[in-house]
Amino acid sequence: MKFRNFKLVGYVIYGRGSFNQLDEILSPNRKGDHPMVFLVDHFFEGKELVNRIPVRGNDQVVFVDVTYEPKTTYVDSLASKFKNEFGTVSGVIGIGGGSAMDLAKAVSLMMTNPGSSADYQGWDLVKVPGVYKAGIPTLSGTGAEVSRTTVLTGPTRKLGMNSDFTPFDQIVLDPELTANAPVNQRFYTGMDCYIHCIESLQGTYLNEFSRSYGEKALELCRNVFVQQDEWAANSDDQLMMASYAGGMSIAYSQVGVAHAVSYGLSYLLGTKHGIGNCIVFDKLEEYYPEGVKEFRLMVNKNKIDIPQHITKGLAEDDFNKMIDVSLGMKPLWENALGKDWEKKITREKLRQLYGTL
Amino acid sequence: MKFRNFKLVGYVIYGRGSFNQLDEILSPNRKGDHPMVFLVDHFFEGKELVNRIPVRGNDQVVFVDVTYEPKTTYVDSLASKFKNEFGTVSGVIGIGGGSAMDLAKAVSLMMTNPGSSADYQGWDLVKVPGVYKAGIPTLSGTGAEVSRTTVLTGPTRKLGMNSDFTPFDQIVLDPELTANAPVNQRFYTGMDCYIHCIESLQGTYLNEFSRSYGEKALELCRNVFVQQDEWAANSDDQLMMASYAGGMSIAYSQVGVAHAVSYGLSYLLGTKHGIGNCIVFDKLEEYYPEGVKEFRLMVNKNKIDIPQHITKGLAEDDFNKMIDVSLGMKPLWENALGKDWEKKITREKLRQLYGTL
């Protein structure tokens, strides 16, 4: 058996108010007159946080549209723009949820790697380090802050630039930044972590490294969404660590049925990752009976709306596309159902499941 | 308030048998004809593990004497020897417990930094990266695999080379390597982790980052030493993760009374860190009542000998030296007892405590 040699992020700073140290952190990474580029979730346009970004010289603050998950065309156009304007940049800083962070990772890599980001969708295709990159989550649960991928929708597929050059050089984990997230969004993104943990801990791939991170992440999610009746003083702190630990647990684990099915939704309908997983997981009693029970408890307790009937009225052709995408996620199915997964999940069964969403 | 920006190790590989991937891992880090130097705990001399080290070309396997914790003179002499013989080396690989790993980190740094390692005992005095370095623990509990220090006994003090250049570029966590550790040694080293967690979780410095790692490490220690009656199939796996998590929890926490007192023992008597902490912790009911109760349960359950009366017959002058060293560990005392610690721990009180050891 071969184990993955897992590349970690370079530096981590954690603490309430640690965002205030950003100027000092970036300073030694500035290269001459080349700007730092801050890719900021458009949610923050006009908000207080923007005034706290340590802009110096010709630094750029770019509000990025994350209505949909990042596309390779968007990555390429941002990278081209910065190359045309500045030759190169000192670094790319992603401030936001998983989409803004993934975008920052991808743009950093495309400042130095030739061609289109679509050429690098896959595993270990990136051969040259990108420019300095930092990730600053303002939503907890995606794990994008520690992952070695950046999920992109390309011309032919949704797939990440998975490589040892992908992880951030620096992450800033400041729980104060997540305090004003909309309640539904905060829940969906938190569930990205929760569902991931349920899938990986019940999966057939797993070792003690990933188990210990996954268990801790799950415990922290439960502290936040199950054990307490209101959002507590330390809930943002705990959920931020849940996200980090959940992301680390990826090293030797894999997700399962919810992710495999929700990829189909996101491919066809553009459903975002967090909410898509919630929509699917809600219907997975057969596969994760205890997890789904607890999930519904959390939904009710936190007064969250899970969209229903989103596949109603789709053509058979559309269902087939989703089924194709989903069945293509072989490692996820194998992790969830074992080596003989193909006997256990048929097109008919998947068609039925998609029909309930 | 200022938060530490914590440098992580570069790569981590975890898994039973992952040591077999060492050749492949080192290969891209070889620089021309310059050898890899393996600093191996002398415990392994003549043992099977030595034959599995992927020696190539003029690679060196050096058995290091870790009867006592590493001295700056030992670090300097090893670095000089390699510089004289090879100009430089491709990398330094530490295989063993905390001493062998700390030695490897220090020798790596002294291949490129001028002067003596004693010049760098302190915080952020190292200004130049060392050569490539990797750590491979064969004992679990020290946390040396992830720390940003290397504890050295110098001409005037016992203090680490704390710096961002100190963490390993690579760690290989293979639980099979710890399987044959002597039972007492395994316990003492495991308790290094347990005691650290008790001290940091009860301390006044702490945030959610360190709390979540510390809680997980403590839980894993309890799984191994409290919950089960025999060393189980996955005990080595769990204790290795406990050590890793315990080491990570250091980022935003501090140790306490046991460490502060045991530093005195180790300075005067050369008592090694793991066993020294056990000897001291056993007498700390006043400070950690529940932890000490559980510690004694673990000692009995695992049939471990904790040395007694090791300070018997020492001169008053010796006690004073230990008290001086211990009271010098200001942050440890402050973490344990609060800002007004000096009112709570007097020389008399410490003298009495040392007398019971």
Side-chain angles (χ1 to χ4, degrees), chain B residues 85-357:
Chain B
E85 216 161 326
F86 307 107
T88 187
V89 300
S90 288
V92 182
I93 322 300
I95 303 177
S99 294
M101 287 190 282
D102 276 358
L103 204 51
K105 288 193 251 185
V107 171
S108 155
L109 294 172
M110 295 315 297
M111 292 304 294
T112 52
N113 285 277
S116 161
S117 51
D119 304 336
Y120 302 98
Q121 286 182 286
W123 282 268
D124 302 307
L125 302 172
V126 179
K127 300 296 179 200
V128 182
V131 298
Y132 174 84
K133 54 188 173 309
I136 307 179
T138 62
L139 275 171
S140 291
T142 70
E145 60 275 28
V146 292
S147 77
R148 79 186 287 278
T149 190
T150 156
V151 183
L152 301 177
T153 305
T156 59
R157 55 202 167 166
K158 182 177 164 188
L159 185 62
M161 297 166 78
N162 295 270
S163 86
D164 282 357
F165 300 114
T166 309
F168 284 117
D169 297 296
Q170 170 80 55
I171 57 175
V172 177
L173 304 179
D174 182 346
E176 287 181 355
L177 303 186
T178 62
N180 298 314
V183 173
N184 270 338
Q185 182 62 61
R186 182 172 74 188
F187 183 85
Y188 300 145
T189 310
M191 286 304 108
D192 189 4
C193 180
Y194 175 86
I195 293 169
H196 165 78
C197 291
I198 295 290
E199 290 181 307
S200 65
L201 290 169
Q202 285 190 28
T204 58
Y205 299 1
L206 197 64
N207 66 14
E208 190 55 43
F209 185 93
S210 289
R211 186 191 306 279
S212 64
Y213 271 117
E215 286 176 350
K216 191 69 205 180
L218 193 57
E219 182 191 323
L220 289 165
C221 286
R222 285 176 174 149
N223 287 353
V224 169
F225 292 115
V226 181
Q227 306 290 342
Q228 61 196 18
D229 292 323
E230 288 192 352
W231 201 253
N234 67 343
S235 294
D236 285 306
D237 308 62
Q238 294 200 334
L239 197 56
M240 190 159 266
M241 277 312 293
S243 178
Y244 170 92
M248 289 297 294
S249 81
I250 287 268
Y252 302 104
S253 72
Q254 185 48 278
V255 287
V257 181
H259 278 78
V261 174
S262 85
Y263 272 119
L265 289 183
S266 106
Y267 179 82
L268 189 80
L269 306 173
T271 314
K272 291 192 82 173
H273 190 71
I275 194 168
N277 279 343
C278 287
I279 292 167
V280 176
F281 195 69
D282 194 33
K283 312 294 182 194
L284 294 185
E285 279 158 304
E286 183 182 340
Y287 303 96
Y288 307 107
E290 288 170 28
V292 173
K293 196 173 152 194
E294 189 170 58
F295 172 77
R296 289 184 186 154
L297 174 77
M298 294 188 285
V299 168
N300 290 330
K301 197 169 174 124
N302 294 274
K303 303 185 184 65
I304 302 298
D305 306 310
I306 303 295
Q308 304 289 331
H309 313 302
I310 66 163
T311 62
K312 200 174 166 183
L314 288 180
E316 240 5 81
D317 201 33
D318 289 333
F319 280 106
N320 278 322
K321 274 183 203 150
M322 292 194 290
I323 293 166
D324 288 341
V325 168
S326 181
L327 288 176
M329 313 304 285
K330 296 182 200 297
L332 283 63
W333 289 109
E334 184 177 301
N335 178 53
L337 306 177
K339 294 242 176 252
D340 57 344
W341 63 272
E342 284 170 299
K343 290 184 194 147
K344 295 181 185 161
I345 187 80
T346 58
R347 293 188 75 87
E348 295 66 42
K349 208 158 175 185
L350 258 181
R351 170 64 185 82
Q352 193 184 22
L353 177 56
Y354 274 118
T356 67
L357 302 181

Side-chain angles (χ1 to χ4, degrees), chain A residues 7 14-15 27 58 96 98 100 123 171 187 205 210 229 234 265 276 285 294 297 320:
Chain A
K7 174 79 168 69
Y14 179 99
S27 175
N58 55 353
W123 282 267
I171 57 176
F187 183 84
Y205 301 0
S210 289
D229 292 323
N234 67 344
L265 289 183
E285 279 158 304
E294 189 170 58
L297 173 78
N320 278 322

Side-chain angles (χ1 to χ4, degrees), chain A residues 2 12 24 213 215-216, chain B residues 2 6 24 213 215-216:
Chain A
K2 289 268 286 173
V12 55
E24 192 186 328
Y213 271 117
E215 286 176 349
K216 191 68 205 182
Chain B
K2 290 268 286 175
F6 191 63
E24 192 186 326
Y213 271 117
E215 286 176 350
K216 191 69 205 180

Side-chain angles (χ1 to χ4, degrees), chain A residues 157-193:
Chain A
R157 57 202 166 165
K158 182 177 164 187
L159 186 61
M161 299 166 76
N162 295 269
S163 84
D164 282 357
F165 300 114
T166 308
F168 285 117
D169 297 296
Q170 171 79 54
I171 57 176
V172 178
L173 304 179
D174 182 346
E176 287 180 356
L177 303 186
T178 63
N180 298 315
V183 172
N184 271 339
Q185 183 62 60
R186 182 172 72 188
F187 183 84
Y188 301 144
T189 310
M191 285 303 107
D192 189 5
C193 180

Side-chain angles (χ1 to χ4, degrees), chain B residues 2-19:
Chain B
K2 290 268 286 175
F3 300 96
R4 181 189 293 165
N5 194 16
F6 191 63
K7 175 79 167 68
L8 303 186
V9 298
Y11 283 85
V12 56
I13 183 168
Y14 179 100
R16 289 187 164 261
S18 57
F19 185 80

Side-chain angles (χ1 to χ4, degrees), chain A residues 123-178:
Chain A
W123 282 267
D124 302 306
L125 303 172
V126 180
K127 301 295 180 200
V128 182
V131 299
Y132 174 84
K133 54 188 172 312
I136 308 180
T138 63
L139 276 171
S140 291
T142 69
E145 60 275 27
V146 291
S147 76
R148 79 187 287 280
T149 191
T150 156
V151 183
L152 301 177
T153 305
T156 59
R157 57 202 166 165
K158 182 177 164 187
L159 186 61
M161 299 166 76
N162 295 269
S163 84
D164 282 357
F165 300 114
T166 308
F168 285 117
D169 297 296
Q170 171 79 54
I171 57 176
V172 178
L173 304 179
D174 182 346
E176 287 180 356
L177 303 186
T178 63

